[in-house]
Amino acid sequence: MAAEGHAPTAGEYITHHLQHWQKNFALVDQKQHGIVDFSVFNLDSLIYSVVLGFLAVFFLWRAARKATSGVPGRFQAAVEILVEMVDNQAKGVIHNEKSRKVVGPVALTVFVWIFFMNAMDMLPVDWLPKLWGNYVAATGHDPHHAYMRVVPTADLSTTLSMSTFVLLLCLFYNIKIKGLGGWGHELISAPFGAHPVLWPFNFAMQMIEFLAKTVSHGMRLFGNMFAGELVFMLIALMGGGWALTGTGIGLAIGHIVAGTVWTLFHILVIVLQAFIFMMLTLIYIGQAHDAH
């Protein structure tokens, strides 16, 4: 964070909290150079997303294992409502029953997984990073270089990885449903027509469409969660300013009021962003089943 001997400025505090724990592929700490740098990966996002992914699968497995006939308990009832909601959405978009047997569970898992990753934003901003910094200090290293971000969906590499997986599913179902020849013909004949002169333009438009859908799919989730994380940091600065100076009761009141209001609003954002990502997953895969 800041250098030894003085408290961090607002800019230093935010910069430190926005820095990922990054390593190169030799597992050596290394910061990213440039907007795109494939020589490093964000280890914190990888750890939290994998752990929360296993937690999401365990949550669904336990719900299925504990399901009983008759009057369900609250946990079973909540999961049944969730499953029914996803199943209804899948039926409305994907009319191939065989495909729904795979895509439906994928969409359900995506919703729960993203919800868990988004919900990490509800933890106190400094809690896990502070624990990590204390551990690093205890091992004899400089805690000011102990970086830790705990919201995987506020990392563009996470959200674009998920949207890229959806793209691969779309390509798979395009070939499975239409056949390689049928899909190839669609790539060069839609949307402008099958005249040979239009083939290059059709193909270019198809590639642009796939790219645009994939990027916007990942960017939408990232942008909303990154903005939410940043707002929580700004609210934390209000409380930190009051704690350091001991004056300005307005900062303390503003910290409490703004924190409460934004937390309540952010609960809606967390659920809504998981739902939107799930719905777009269903829509894009559904489009792969449609012939132009």
Side-chain angles (χ1 to χ4, degrees):
M1 294 177 72
E4 292 284 353
H6 70 84
T9 64
E12 290 171 337
Y13 174 85
I14 292 177
T15 299
H16 182 273
H17 278 279
L18 291 180
Q19 175 63 45
H20 285 281
W21 181 20
Q22 296 179 322
K23 288 185 176 291
N24 60 23
F25 289 92
L27 297 181
V28 176
D29 289 341
Q30 177 180 315
K31 287 189 177 181
Q32 179 175 333
H33 300 290
I35 298 176
V36 178
D37 187 350
F38 292 109
S39 66
V40 300
F41 61 93
N42 299 333
L43 184 59
D44 44 11
S45 294
L46 184 62
I47 291 173
Y48 285 112
S49 60
V50 169
V51 170
L52 293 169
F54 279 114
L55 183 61
V57 172
F58 174 77
F59 170 82
L60 295 172
W61 170 81
R62 184 170 179 80
R65 191 168 181 267
K66 293 291 184 180
T68 58
S69 59
V71 179
R74 286 178 293 182
F75 175 70
Q76 181 179 332
V79 174
E80 286 180 355
I81 291 172
L82 176 61
V83 171
E84 185 178 359
M85 181 269 293
V86 175
D87 187 56
N88 288 336
Q89 298 299 332
K91 287 179 179 178
V93 176
I94 301 173
H95 306 295
N96 186 308
E97 184 176 355
K98 188 175 180 181
S99 295
R100 282 203 309 271
K101 291 181 179 179
V102 175
V103 178
V106 168
L108 178 62
T109 305
V110 164
F111 178 85
V112 177
W113 188 18
I114 292 179
F115 173 79
F116 282 176
M117 290 192 288
N118 290 352
M120 294 294 288
D121 214 7
M122 305 299 290
L123 297 176
V125 171
D126 291 300
W127 183 39
L128 289 176
K130 181 65 175 178
L131 290 177
W132 174 241
N134 291 340
Y135 169 78
V136 170
T139 60
H141 296 86
D142 184 2
H144 298 116
H145 297 289
Y147 302 110
M148 176 68 68
R149 291 184 68 182
V150 302
V151 187
T153 44
D155 179 4
L156 186 58
S157 62
T158 301
T159 58
L160 283 182
S161 295
M162 298 182 73
S163 64
T164 300
F165 175 73
V166 174
L167 171 65
L168 294 177
L169 282 177
C170 291
L171 299 181
F172 170 78
Y173 277 106
N174 267 302
I175 296 174
K176 181 180 179 181
I177 300 299
K178 304 165 188 175
L180 187 59
W183 183 48
H185 179 265
E186 182 180 280
L187 287 177
I188 61 175
S189 62
F192 301 124
H195 195 283
V197 175
L198 299 175
W199 287 357
F201 302 101
N202 289 326
F203 184 78
M205 288 299 296
Q206 292 274 359
M207 294 301 104
I208 292 172
E209 180 182 354
F210 280 121
L211 178 63
K213 288 193 297 188
T214 302
V215 173
S216 64
H217 197 189
M219 286 289 292
R220 180 181 289 104
L221 176 59
F222 159 74
N224 282 278
M225 297 312 301
F226 181 86
E229 185 183 37
L230 189 58
V231 171
F232 274 123
M233 291 179 192
L234 296 174
I235 293 173
L237 282 172
M238 296 173 66
W242 174 76
L244 287 173
T245 62
T247 59
I249 191 64
L251 287 175
I253 296 174
H255 171 76
I256 296 172
V257 173
T260 302
V261 172
W262 183 249
T263 299
L264 294 175
F265 174 74
H266 206 59
I267 294 173
L268 175 63
V269 173
I270 286 171
V271 178
L272 184 61
Q273 289 306 313
F275 178 79
I276 291 174
F277 196 97
M278 178 206 72
M279 280 303 304
L280 288 176
T281 298
L282 290 173
I283 290 170
Y284 293 157
I285 295 177
Q287 289 175 344
H289 287 70
D290 299 331
H292 291 282

